[in-house]
Structure formats: structure tokens, C-alpha cells
Amino acid sequence: MTQNESAPERAARDIRNLIKNRALQTGDSLPSQRILARDLGISRASLREALATLEAFGQIRVQAGKGVFITDPQDGTPRDARSARHAAQVYQFRLAIEPYVAGLAAQARTNAHLSALKDSIEKMRQAFVDDNLFQAGKADTAFHNILLQAADNPLFAKAMHPTAQSIHENQMLPFANAAAIQAPLQEQEQVLRFVRERNPSRARDAMHFHVLSAATRAHVAFLRP
């Protein structure tokens, strides 16, 4: 286990390696959860968390009573109407709040906030080098949480807290798109640039573009026709 890597994170990495090493294809099944937990040396609870993460990335699909199956992330995530609607609703919520938060952060940020934002971007960059999508997702979430702190208005954090887990899962969805997996780095660097320059208008625009682009990468049509 690498430094600061939890049991679910390690399990998610090991399962991804298992898929690669066995050259499993779309539709192939993984061993049963009982066998996976035994072979990986983790609890069933940690395994379920790891599988939930990989499902959010679009790499597997857990079918109750049937098993865990390999999926093709390029087919688009999420897969069913209920999860697609939920993802769309989360993106709508984020688009309404996060650009304004970025604009406030550009006005109220401190040098400590700038350092933390830069650090989160670098952690995401290293996570991509290490092929650790779990850590990349955590770094992405950290970036947005730091902006919330920098906005210096606790009401935004309180408004978003009840949906924090849904937002975190939503932020992981674009990582299923391998062709554009590093796009968030450039987009977040743009947000950081305008926050650093104390340019609230451009920071809002950059965050608006980031959320829209993330939805596109996740194949989520979050605006109804």
C-alpha cells in the first residue's frame, strides 16, 4: 500500500490491474465479491467502496445478484436513466453555484489558498502519472473545496454539504473518458490563473467552462431539450 492509500483505494488499483493483466473485455465478469475480498485481503465493505469508485469511473457495472462486469467507458456514463438524471441534476446544481464561488474566491483568496489550489493540481497531475484515478478524483474534489473556503462565505459550503458525496461522485465521472482524462488539469489551471490575478469575471467564465466540459466528457446531457 502506498503512502496515504486507503484499503478501498488499493483495492480499486488492484482490480484495475487485474482487468489489465487478464485482458478482460467488455461484458467479461470479475470473480465473485467473496473471492475478490479474499484474494485482495480486504473487508467486504472496503471492496464495495472500491467497486463503487470503479463503477463511477465507468470501468465496471455491478449487477445485483449477477456479478460485476467489465464495461466500456467510451459508451458513456452513467448507464441507466435514473443515474443519468441524477448526474444531470448534480451538474445543474454545480453550474448554478461553482462559477459564482470561483468569482468570489478571486476577490477574497489568500496566498495560502493559492498555494493549496496549486498543490491540489500537482497532486492530480502526479495521480495521472501513477495511473491512480482514485487519488485524481480526491485531488479534483480538494480543488473545488479550497475554492469554497477561499470564497469566504460559509453559506455556500453549508448549501453544498448535504450533496458532498454526490458531487464527489459527479466529479469522478469524467475520468472514465480516457481520451480527455487530463483535460481538468488545464481547465483548473485557468481557474487558478484568474483567481491569482483577482479577476472574478474571468474566474467565473473559466469555472463555467470547466463544469460544462466535465459534463461533456462524462457524456451527461444535463440541459433538457
Side-chain angles (χ1 to χ4, degrees):
M1 185 181 296
T2 60
Q3 185 177 12
N4 298 324
E5 187 179 42
S6 67
E9 291 172 345
R10 175 178 61 82
R13 175 171 54 80
D14 289 346
I15 293 170
R16 292 184 73 225
N17 288 335
L18 181 151
I19 293 171
K20 292 178 183 178
N21 294 338
R22 296 189 182 181
L24 297 178
Q25 303 298 315
T26 301
D28 291 343
S29 63
L30 289 175
S32 70
Q33 293 190 35
R34 179 183 61 81
I35 293 175
L36 276 175
R38 183 199 66 193
D39 291 349
L40 297 176
I42 59 173
S43 68
R44 293 289 291 272
S46 292
L47 176 63
R48 284 193 294 270
E49 186 175 342
L51 293 175
T53 299
L54 293 173
E55 190 166 28
F57 289 143
Q59 296 186 320
I60 63 169
R61 184 162 181 79
V62 180
Q63 296 186 357
K66 295 183 178 180
V68 181
F69 299 89
I70 311 303
T71 58
D72 181 1
Q74 301 309 312
D75 287 345
T77 54
R79 301 310 178 92
D80 57 79
R82 182 177 180 180
S83 59
R85 177 173 173 76
H86 178 68
Q89 290 171 338
V90 175
Y91 273 117
Q92 290 167 356
F93 180 74
R94 292 181 59 194
L95 192 64
I97 293 181
E98 292 192 43
Y100 194 77
V101 166
L104 287 178
Q107 299 174 74
R109 59 77 176 167
T110 65
N111 287 338
H113 291 131
L114 294 179
S115 178
L117 289 167
K118 181 178 179 181
D119 183 61
S120 69
I121 291 175
E122 291 308 313
K123 285 181 177 177
M124 185 189 294
R125 194 187 312 279
Q126 185 60 49
F128 288 139
V129 172
D130 296 338
D131 193 28
N132 190 330
L133 297 186
F134 202 115
Q135 287 294 333
K138 290 177 66 175
D140 188 26
T141 296
F143 181 88
H144 292 271
N145 287 340
I146 294 163
L147 285 175
L148 273 173
Q149 298 168 16
D152 196 27
N153 185 336
L155 293 180
F156 283 107
K158 289 180 180 178
M160 299 182 77
H161 178 72
T163 58
Q165 183 59 35
S166 291
I167 291 174
H168 175 62
E169 293 171 358
N170 185 266
Q171 288 166 338
M172 292 193 298
L173 289 176
F175 293 131
N177 188 336
I181 196 168
Q182 297 200 32
L185 286 172
Q186 288 74 39
E187 293 166 9
Q188 290 185 357
E189 285 171 346
Q190 281 293 91
V191 174
L192 174 56
R193 171 189 170 187
F194 296 124
V195 170
R196 181 187 298 112
E197 294 176 359
R198 296 192 186 277
N199 189 328
S201 177
R202 297 296 296 275
R204 285 193 297 269
D205 289 345
M207 181 58 75
H208 189 273
F209 177 79
H210 176 48
V211 176
L212 284 175
S213 297
T216 298
R217 288 190 293 272
H219 306 288
V220 175
F222 70 104
L223 295 178
R224 292 186 177 183

